């Protein structure tokens, strides 16, 4: 009887380690897929990473800056919902007249750039200054529509962090 219990314990241990190794392999492939998505989105929008230059300073397309600000506003909410994420993708798609896939890639690239800034609160002022250099105040209306859609599908109003970021955005775009 002890031999049977020992054999069962050995089989259970082997199954556990095999299952754990499979999960690790899946997680690794998921991480590699995410990295490939970021690289593909960056290539598609002409973003090239240079050494000793912050990614925000390398943005040449206002669409990328606006997408990154939109992602930052989304991340400033306590727990962003799927509806808010969809509102961001729809707002980018409709505001810039791009395909759904392109707007999703803008969101992926924007999230990566936001993470490179540290967090969402640090990204908004930096990106607003960059957006002002790229297009002045021309794209402010598209950005406001995106932010309103995010708020509409959230709690109905902006959080205090989002209001603070909106003030930073107004200062960066020299509106206030």
């Amino acid at each position: 009887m002890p031999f049977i219990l020992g054999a069962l314990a050995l089989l259970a241990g082997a199954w556990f380690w095999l299952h754990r190794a499979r999960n690790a392999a899946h997680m690794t492939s998921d991480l590699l897929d995410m990295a490939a998505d970021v690289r593909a989105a960056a290539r598609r929008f002409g973003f090239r990473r240079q050494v000793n230059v912050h990614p925000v300073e390398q943005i040449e397309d206002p669409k990328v800056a606006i997408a990154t600000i939109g992602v930052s506003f989304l991340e400033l909410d306590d727990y962003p919902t799927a509806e808010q994420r969809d509102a961001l993708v729809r707002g980018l798609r409709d505001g810039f007249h791009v395909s759904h896939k392109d707007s999703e890639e803008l969101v992926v690239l924007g999230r990566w750039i936001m993470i490179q800034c540290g967090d969402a609160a640090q990204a908004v002022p930096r990106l607003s200054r960059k957006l002002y250099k790229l297009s002045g105040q021309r794209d402010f209306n598209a950005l406001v529509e995106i932010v309103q859609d995010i708020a509409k599908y959230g709690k109905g109003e902006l959080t205090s962090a989002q209001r603070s970021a909106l003030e930073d955005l107004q200062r960066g775009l020299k509106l206030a």
Side-chain angles (χ1 to χ4, degrees), residues 5-22:
L5 290 175
L8 286 175
L10 185 62
L11 286 173
W15 178 83
F16 172 76
W17 287 106
L18 180 65
H19 185 67
R20 187 172 177 196
R22 283 185 189 159

Side-chain angles (χ1 to χ4, degrees), residues 45-61 64 112-113 130 134:
F45 293 102
F47 186 83
R48 299 193 192 287
R49 180 85 168 131
Q50 296 174 359
V51 180
N52 295 330
V53 178
H54 196 275
V56 171
E57 300 305 319
Q58 295 174 325
I59 295 174
E60 296 175 0
D61 189 357
V64 176
W112 179 80
I113 292 172
K130 183 62 178 182
L134 290 173

Side-chain angles (χ1 to χ4, degrees), residues 31-81:
L31 286 174
L32 291 174
D33 288 345
M34 287 189 327
D37 289 346
V38 170
R39 278 195 304 269
R43 241 182 268 124
R44 184 167 179 85
F45 293 102
F47 186 83
R48 299 193 192 287
R49 180 85 168 131
Q50 296 174 359
V51 180
N52 295 330
V53 178
H54 196 275
V56 171
E57 300 305 319
Q58 295 174 325
I59 295 174
E60 296 175 0
D61 189 357
K63 295 176 196 174
V64 176
I66 290 175
T68 307
I69 292 171
V71 169
S72 300
F73 268 94
L74 190 65
E75 294 292 323
L76 285 170
D77 198 0
D78 292 334
Y79 296 105
T81 62

Side-chain angles (χ1 to χ4, degrees), residues 129-140:
R129 291 188 300 269
K130 183 62 178 182
L131 182 61
Y132 183 76
K133 289 178 188 175
L134 290 173
S135 67
Q137 299 169 355
R138 184 179 62 215
D139 293 318
F140 182 70

Side-chain angles (χ1 to χ4, degrees), residues 2 12 24 38 43 64 74 84 105 108 136-138 142-143 150 152 169 173 176:
V38 170
R43 241 182 268 124
V64 176
L74 190 65
Q84 287 176 309
E105 286 182 350
V108 168
Q137 299 169 355
R138 184 179 62 215
L143 184 58
I150 290 171
K152 181 173 73 173
L169 184 63
L173 291 174

Side-chain angles (χ1 to χ4, degrees), residues 76 158-167:
L76 285 170
L158 297 176
T159 63
S160 62
Q162 288 174 328
R163 275 189 240 110
S164 174
L166 196 56
E167 291 169 3

